[in-house]
Amino acid sequence: KGEDMDLGFNIKDLVNNTRRASITKKEANSEVCTGEILGGRRKSILQVAGAIRTGVRLGSITAQTAHNNRVLYARKGGEEAGGVSTNLGGEKISVEDACNLKTMCWGGPNIVPRPEWIKTGLNFNEPEQLYAFGLKAMKGATKAFQLVVQAYILKHLLFEGKSAKKAAKEREKKKMMNSKEKNEAFSSGQNKMSTLLRPNEMIQRDILSGAIAELLWRCGDKERAVIAVPEANPVFEPPVRFSIDGLTEKLHLFRCTKEAEVLSCMKKHIYFFMQEKAGGLACLLYSIVLSKGWTDLKSDMQDQGDLPLIDTEDKITLCLSNLMLTGSATPYLHNGIMSADDDDATNFEFGDGKVGITSRNEIGFLFWERDEETTQEMNLGSRLKTPVLPIWVTCINENWGVLFNPNRDLMKSYSAENRFQLFYFSNTETKAKKDTVLTIDTRGNKIGNQMNDMDDFDEVVEDPVEKAIQSKWEGAMVDWQGIPMYV
């Protein structure tokens, strides 16, 4: 009956109309002319009735199909998770996989993740406002984790979506302009960039879906991906060694073997990942690990295969950040394979050396830790310093952020790197009510200029962001455009 009412009509009305048509037929036998008219009317009524009956059957089938396939996570991002589906689909996680997940991520099946992992989603800043392109990454390991995801979000916003393609056409037009036209276009381009970096809610959802889908596909060696989403109730009886955390024991797994399938599945479940208190962060971490697979993950981690991806001090390891950036969970940043030291007690199946970054990456990584000596010990190689796209995840004095430039061709021309701009984002609160845009000049000598302007060299304030940038562009001068420096 509920289905009938949803379709906007009542079966009783249908029955009454049919009876009236039958009575009309009897009355029509008395008068031929009248009968012909009423007979035609009865025929029309019966045709309508037949169509309505067909509609009832089709409506019932459609309603039942929609009921079976529904996903109750489809709410606006930011709403708290209320009821969740008890018929989610996918594959229920096994006890063994749940224990392995918690061991790989946190250190053991008896460990309950911090609340900021299991009670936090991937939430953007206010749509169409300052930093609308950015996630609300707050602190600790969750902030570092989200800022690596942020790099993929920026890739899809700047270089993959419709807006990005439109911006690329504008850049091509500029190449054909004279100096006056270029100046006018520059001013117009700044306004368009400001608009591009303030996406609406629909664009935020789309670029996050694309970013996560690409990330998982890369982690699965571009062969597979697994998306983990919880349902309302636990899917197994927890053993004694397993500590219930309200999320891991409820997971359903969706396995994909085609890139388009990953994106389609992610779009279907994106509202869950964007809910503020539904555990989207932990589920994304689980999806990354499951996409990689236990054997491949431990193999990539080499001599650190027994350590968790999130350490006891609530920091993400290089194994996790490298897995997200490159698809390989190596704990090292150098290019290729480095020969092991004579006293290095390594014992793994990678020959005699430690495997680092094996190829040039699309997204880069810049690192600075307190001083030059400590930084150089990390041996960051050119394959991460010089990415294909002008996007760099940064780890500066243990604070994570992202540097980026909307010009895709920046890394293709040495002359373009003489003087250029980089946007910087770390979701750090500042008094400035504008995007942080750094002007980078690689032609000067910063220290020489400072010595001329200041009587006491000891008063020079070190800029750690500049130090990280100088690890890529030696001697570069960084101008914060009046914004107080921060990390």
Side-chain angles (χ1 to χ4, degrees), residues 6 34 60 139 164 170 234 238 287 326 335 338 440 453 474 486:
D6 287 342
T34 303
S60 299
K139 63 179 182 178
E170 293 291 334
S287 299
T326 70
N335 291 346
M338 179 179 290
I440 317 298
D453 297 337
E474 187 176 358
Y486 65 90

Side-chain angles (χ1 to χ4, degrees), residues 93-111 236 239 241-243 245 248-249 251 253 255 285-290 293-295 297-298 301 305-310:
I93 193 169
S94 65
V95 175
E96 182 182 0
D97 282 349
C99 290
N100 284 337
L101 262 183
K102 295 187 74 172
T103 300
M104 293 298 302
C105 294
W106 323 111
N110 61 325
I111 295 176
F236 60 78
R241 71 181 188 279
F242 184 93
S243 294
D245 55 46
T248 313
E249 65 275 3
L251 294 180
L253 312 180
R255 302 183 185 276
L285 175 59
Y286 286 160
S287 299
I288 289 170
V289 173
L290 289 164
W294 318 121
T295 303
L297 181 57
K298 282 185 170 291
M301 293 173 71
D306 293 330
L307 300 177
L309 297 174
I310 309 297

